[in-house]
Amino acid sequence: MRITQADIAKIANVSQPTVSRVVSGDGRVEEGIRQRVLEVMREHNYQPDARARSLRSKRAGLIGLVVKRPKGGLSDDPFFASLISAIMDFLVGKPYHLCADMTLDAQSQVGLYDELLRSRRVDGLILVESEALDERVHRLQADHFPFVLIGNPMGNEAIWSVDNDNVLAGRIATQHLLDQGFRRIGFLAGPSETTVTRDRLEGYMQALRGRQDRAFVWHSDFGSQAAREATREHILTAPEVPDALVVLDDFMAMGAVQALRDFGANVPGDMGLVSFNDSAICRLIEGGLSSVSLNIETLVQTACERLVDAIEGRDPDGPRRTLIPSALIARGSSQPREVARR
Amino acid sequence: MRITQADIAKIANVSQPTVSRVVSGDGRVEEGIRQRVLEVMREHNYQPDARARSLRSKRAGLIGLVVKRPKGGLSDDPFFASLISAIMDFLVGKPYHLCADMTLDAQSQVGLYDELLRSRRVDGLILVESEALDERVHRLQADHFPFVLIGNPMGNEAIWSVDNDNVLAGRIATQHLLDQGFRRIGFLAGPSETTVTRDRLEGYMQALRGRQDRAFVWHSDFGSQAAREATREHILTAPEVPDALVVLDDFMAMGAVQALRDFGANVPGDMGLVSFNDSAICRLIEGGLSSVSLNIETLVQTACERLVDAIEGRDPDGPRRTLIPSALIARGSSQPREVARR
DNA sequence: TATTCTTGTGAATTCGTATTCTCGCATGAT
DNA sequence: ATCATGCGAGAATACGAATTCACAAGAATA
């Protein structure tokens, strides 16, 4: 049998609501009684029932996270791993836990939406969206559910969102290569539906403006294998081969490195490289891979704070869209050609 | 205002319990009435309240996962990422969600235990333990809480547990190197408190028996940097330098590769390598890194099935400890020396 | 026709806690 | 002396759905 507040109340000779006041800490309770109740609670190892508590108080103490499964699973997506790790980190010690779900398709997304939010299973939602926004978001807005988007709201000003400043990141990467003396900088991008690709590409374009007369852009699927093939078959055989590449992420960059190696080319002697994420693999090639570090901890922290504010009814002023700045970590792959050839 | 079963009942001219029967699907309801109720529910977009439901029915629909934070966060631990990804994958479509928490120390571990289990927030727990078991496990057993251990139960036969067969994995890796003609095989291990290290080391020892007269074992911290240093400072300067290494994981192996490269040595010409996990980075070095693939999907699936069985009161026969076999993925780093030198 | 059995339904209760309402008493102001 | 005020604590109720129980009406049996 489970020990309830009523049991504690009986033993301590007080009423159940008094026990409730002692537990929750609000409402006035005389110190003597409070102590007695606490003592009884300790003796009997009482633990409040989270279900009853949340039924009555309307707070679930859960924050939902829904991720769409990319092809091939999430296992080796370091962005996802950092994300979830940072969320858990943020929630340590706070009165919320993380409820994480994966979906396979848009259909089940909507199902989950009902299952998690409309059923009041969670108090709010962190939405991670890497492509265009869909119906869900509008339903979330219409129903006034607390949520924060991690990603690009695509001009929807009403949404609270946090994102890496991918335009800035793209500009920084490109600018860096220009500063290092590269003169024909290309961009190896991911699928063009993804907002990361679009935003970083825009940054690349901005940086090139007035510095390089034309852009060289190739698209490839994610992953080092796809990038390796794209580099081999399209970039290295192009009529004008670039002398440096901005690559969409570290894994793709490693693919490019492999393709270059296959071709007998050196990095950065024959091809400068900068990518994004600054993941652990950047240190795995000779001289290191230059990469724009994304500061996911700050991203997540900001998102979580916004969400908790929204859940608890605080609507802070300020812009609804927060962009987290990035910083370049320069390594060997973007050294000036002269230095590299020395 | 929220739509409740009572509201639906009033509109459909039935009683609230009848609505409940329609929703949960058990109990007999006349087909005509059932249809009418379903219609009204659809019209008013009714969604059951998970809190009330779980208060009454005693099922939270949540499975807890508690991970201890290793130093430096989890962000770049691919094992953890695969794990959580596989759990989410398993739970898709099942009436459970994942509630994931991270803890920093043993103190908060116990707090979480109360917070999650004794408060009935979750129905069961997946425990991931990479070192020795602690007090929590005994409390879980004493309170008869459904849980499954992912890791080594250290001889505690009463615990349901699932683990990679690390002894086998260690043996496979070592055996493979022996078969490839290496004759002085060393082992670059992680911290000796970790059970992965202990188990794989045992497999290594088993494989050597009768094939190689002595063992060469070095310990290092996790991560490629630590492994790189350990390789440079201890292995390459040892009185008897091995001709091949079994390395505890892919990242450490990459560190070893770097150290060898710094030293001017070739893989596998001067040093054969096999590691564990078969993560994406294995393809990033020239020729590829041979690695023992761990089959985390099966591991997680087995663990989840066991847990759900326990939660739902089924206690299957059979051994309580399940070991998931591994398979070697041979790549360039373990090619026979003659082949490599050709 | 009287008597069991079905089968489906609604009234009432339960789950464990939070919250609102009320009431008695003591205090201080008028 | 009287009345507004405030404080602490118990009684009652709300939260939303599941479950128990009793009891109808109708079918099946004698």
Side-chain angles (χ1 to χ4, degrees), chain A residues 2 45 50-51 58 60 69 89 97-101 115 118-121 258 261 283 286, chain B residues 2 45 50-51 58 60 69 89 97-101 115 118-121 258 261 281 283 286:
Chain A
R2 186 181 180 76
N45 204 11
R51 302 167 182 186
K58 315 215 170 304
R69 187 239 281 274
D89 208 359
H97 300 266
L98 172 64
C99 179
D101 278 274
E115 171 69 15
R118 301 207 39 243
S119 72
R120 305 211 228 180
R121 200 181 274 283
Q258 290 178 308
R261 199 190 286 147
R283 297 157 199 273
E286 189 59 33
Chain B
R2 186 181 180 75
N45 204 10
R51 302 167 181 186
K58 313 220 171 303
R69 187 239 280 276
D89 208 1
H97 300 266
L98 172 65
C99 178
D101 278 273
E115 171 69 15
R118 302 206 40 243
S119 72
R120 305 210 226 180
R121 197 182 275 283
Q258 290 177 306
R261 198 191 286 148
I281 61 172
R283 297 159 199 272
E286 189 58 35

Side-chain angles (χ1 to χ4, degrees), chain B residues 149-214:
Chain B
L149 174 71
I150 291 187
N152 190 328
M154 314 287 278
N156 190 329
E157 298 293 338
I159 298 178
W160 287 99
S161 71
V162 184
D163 199 1
N164 293 306
D165 193 339
N166 284 315
V167 177
L168 173 65
R171 209 163 53 218
I172 287 177
T174 312
Q175 186 69 51
H176 172 68
L177 287 171
L178 285 167
D179 292 348
Q180 299 289 82
F182 295 95
R183 283 295 165 260
R184 196 184 299 176
I185 300 168
F187 193 110
L188 175 52
S192 54
E193 313 87 68
T194 59
T195 54
V196 245
T197 287
R198 304 235 285 249
D199 291 342
R200 289 178 190 165
L201 195 49
E202 186 184 329
Y204 162 79
M205 292 301 198
Q206 287 179 5
L208 289 191
R209 207 158 292 158
R211 304 284 304 265
Q212 181 176 309
D213 50 2
R214 57 160 298 203

Side-chain angles (χ1 to χ4, degrees), chain B residues 15 18 21 28-30 33 55-56 120:
Chain B
S15 72
T18 300
R21 289 182 195 109
R28 274 152 291 276
V29 178
E30 204 174 300
I33 296 194
L55 171 62
R56 190 65 177 97
R120 305 210 226 180

